[in-house]
Each structure stands twice: as structure tokens, then as C-alpha cells.
Amino acid sequence: MLPEIIAIYAITDDLLKAIGHQEDVRVQLSDAEVITTALVSARFFGGNHQNAQDYLKEPGLMPKMLSKSRFNRRLHRLFLPLLDLFDCLGMVLKSIHSSTESWLDSFPVPLCDNIRIPQVRLVRCEDYRGYIASKKRYFYGIRVQLLATADGIPVEFAFLPGEANDVRGLNALPLSLPANSEIYADAAYTDYKIEDALRDTEAVTLQVARKRNSKRPDSPALAYIKQTTRHFIETVFSGIPVQFPKAIHAVTMDGFLLKVSTFIVAFTLKAAFID
């Protein structure tokens, strides 16, 4: 556990320097230490910041740890730098990855159980009521659109309301990939205009599984490749939300999105550099 925490801090500090992040010279707990604490919380303590703070303070790893309220205020101010840090990390992973294939999919993150929807205070909007086709059930929360390498390492993500369909995810993600890359996705991402635009402007091929009534049917060989790839994508992406706790505690919507972001970033660091 300790070597992994040290690795998370070293990578976080290097990435903050790479994006040119500047912090107040008067701070006693650096921004890299604040973000590391949040990532350690996501990685080992189910998102409980207080437990991570206590763990890092006791052995002297971060002896100048802030109080809970001050830590939360600092962390919220670092939400955008955390996203910039992940963008930089994603660019690095894309550049060093040998395969030209990427996986695109989404998964839901509920704000609460359906029975508790009337009591939820983080957000009150029907846009957040979505449907999980694989489980044939509704949920109330957000949908995470995620682009990953062929090894299952996330390199881009975006948050959308639960009711948003996957085609909106194509517009929410930058899909910044090297030329001649291929993105494999399921039939829910079918949008011929976006496919043509990606191919013509970015030289990126969107390999979407075709429906039976598709206007652009695949050859049997390509259909088999997409089907086989689809099974692998489902296996990889199902392992990401498993890292989340059953319930993510937050008192604001920004805090909820911040915690989900730390889970994704912590998973990425573990999958890319620690495993």
C-alpha cells in the first residue's frame, strides 16, 4: 500500500508540473498532496476523505494535514486542475500506446436508490432519470462516457445526465486520437454524420456495431470482429464501476462529480503504472 501511495504522489506531482500548475507559496500542504489524499481515498477507502487524511497523517507521510473542512475547500478549488491533470495523463497514454484501437462505452453512476429519489437534494431534474438496458431497470444519476485504450485504461471521460443517450457522448468527448485510429463501440453510438466527420477530418474510424436494419451493414468478417470486441469491452468496463462504493457520499453535485473523477483517475493510475 505504501509504495502505491508514493507512486501516486510522484505521478501527481510530475503531472501538475507538466501542466504548469502554480500554487500559493504560503500553503503548508501542497496541491499535489491534497490531490494525492483524494486519490488515496478513492483507491483504498471508498472515497472517505477523513479516513485517508487520518491514515496519511499518522505515520508522518503528510504531517501538516488540513482539517476536514479546509481540506474539502482546497480540494474543490483543485477540481479543474485535477481534470487538466487527467487530460495530460490521457495524452501521455495515447502517445505511448502501441495499438491503434480504442474502446468507447458508458456506465451509470446512481445518486441514490430509486426509492430515495424524492429525498435526494443534490439535484432535482428528470434529466437525471436514466435506463439501464442490460439490467432492465431505471436509475437516478449520471452517465459516464469513457474512452479507453485497448488495454482498458481510461484516457477520456465526460459526465452526462442519466437520460442522455450515447450519441451525446460522441459530442461530449474530444476523441483526440492519432490518425488511423479505430474506436469500437456498440450500436447505441450509431450516428452516420459523426462517423463521416471523424473519418474525413480526424482520420479516425468509428467502428460501431451495426443494427439489423442498418443502412451501412458490415461484412460478416467485420461483424464478427465487432461482436468479439464488444464482449471484451463489456468485461473491461464492468470492472471500473466495481471500484466505486455502493453509495458515494457528497453534499453537493460538484462534490459528487469530484469524487467520481477521483475514482476514475485512481483507477487509471493503477492500471497504467502500478499493476
Side-chain angles (χ1 to χ4, degrees):
M1 185 172 178
L2 181 58
E4 188 168 339
I5 293 174
I6 294 173
I8 291 174
Y9 170 76
I11 296 170
T12 300
D13 189 50
D14 287 343
L15 288 173
L16 286 176
K17 292 176 181 177
I19 64 176
H21 176 72
Q22 299 291 329
E23 64 183 18
D24 194 322
V25 296
R26 297 170 296 177
V27 298
Q28 295 184 335
L29 190 72
S30 69
D31 289 347
E33 291 175 314
V34 173
I35 293 177
T36 297
T37 304
L39 297 178
V40 169
S41 169
R43 177 72 184 89
F44 299 107
F45 299 99
N48 189 311
H49 291 163
Q50 186 63 63
N51 288 348
Q53 287 179 263
D54 293 341
Y55 179 85
L56 294 173
K57 183 178 180 179
E58 286 181 2
L61 290 174
M62 297 181 186
K64 297 182 180 180
M65 181 61 68
L66 304 173
S67 64
K68 181 179 180 180
S69 60
R70 289 183 62 194
F71 174 83
N72 286 331
R73 289 196 296 271
R74 281 280 301 280
L75 181 60
H76 275 72
R77 289 199 295 269
L78 291 171
F79 191 6
L80 289 180
L82 174 65
L83 297 180
D84 291 340
L85 180 152
F86 180 82
D87 287 341
C88 180
L89 176 61
M91 291 175 59
V92 172
L93 294 175
K94 293 173 193 175
S95 64
I96 64 176
H97 198 258
S98 58
S99 176
T100 60
E101 298 177 346
S102 298
W103 315 140
L104 177 62
D105 205 351
S106 66
F107 58 86
V109 182
L111 286 164
C112 64
D113 291 331
N114 285 338
I115 196 173
R116 299 184 181 276
I117 291 176
Q119 286 79 41
V120 69
R121 297 182 180 181
L122 297 187
V123 64
R124 293 182 181 274
C125 182
E126 283 299 308
D127 291 348
Y128 288 86
R129 190 188 296 271
Y131 183 71
I132 308 174
S134 60
K135 297 182 180 180
K136 297 182 180 180
R137 60 166 295 185
Y138 287 90
F139 75 100
Y140 191 75
I142 64 171
R143 192 176 295 277
V144 181
Q145 295 288 340
L146 195 69
L147 180 71
T149 65
D151 296 332
I153 303 174
V155 290
E156 293 181 9
F157 71 86
F159 299 132
L160 292 175
E163 75 157 9
N165 58 40
D166 286 336
V167 172
R168 284 180 58 182
L170 293 174
N171 296 310
L173 292 169
L175 300 179
S176 178
L177 294 169
N180 301 318
S181 295
E182 294 179 310
I183 302 175
Y184 285 85
D186 63 22
Y189 290 91
T190 299
D191 189 304
Y192 299 137
K193 291 183 179 179
I194 296 179
E195 284 187 40
D196 295 340
L198 282 173
R199 184 183 62 249
D200 297 338
T201 62
E202 305 293 337
V204 173
T205 303
L206 187 58
Q207 299 284 15
V208 176
R210 299 301 186 193
K211 299 178 182 179
R212 292 183 179 179
N213 61 347
S214 174
K215 297 178 181 179
R216 300 181 182 181
D218 290 326
S219 65
L222 183 56
Y224 174 78
I225 292 173
K226 289 182 178 180
Q227 182 181 11
T228 304
T229 303
R230 182 64 203 154
H231 293 324
F232 179 73
I233 293 175
E234 291 176 351
T235 301
V236 170
F237 277 69
S238 63
I240 298 177
V242 169
Q243 311 294 321
F244 297 4
K246 185 176 181 181
I248 299 177
H249 175 71
V251 296
T252 65
M253 192 60 184
D254 285 345
F256 181 82
L257 297 178
L258 174 58
K259 280 199 172 183
V260 175
S261 299
T262 59
F263 281 110
I264 296 174
V265 176
F267 177 86
T268 302
L269 291 176
K270 178 178 182 295
F273 302 108
I274 299 173
D275 276 350

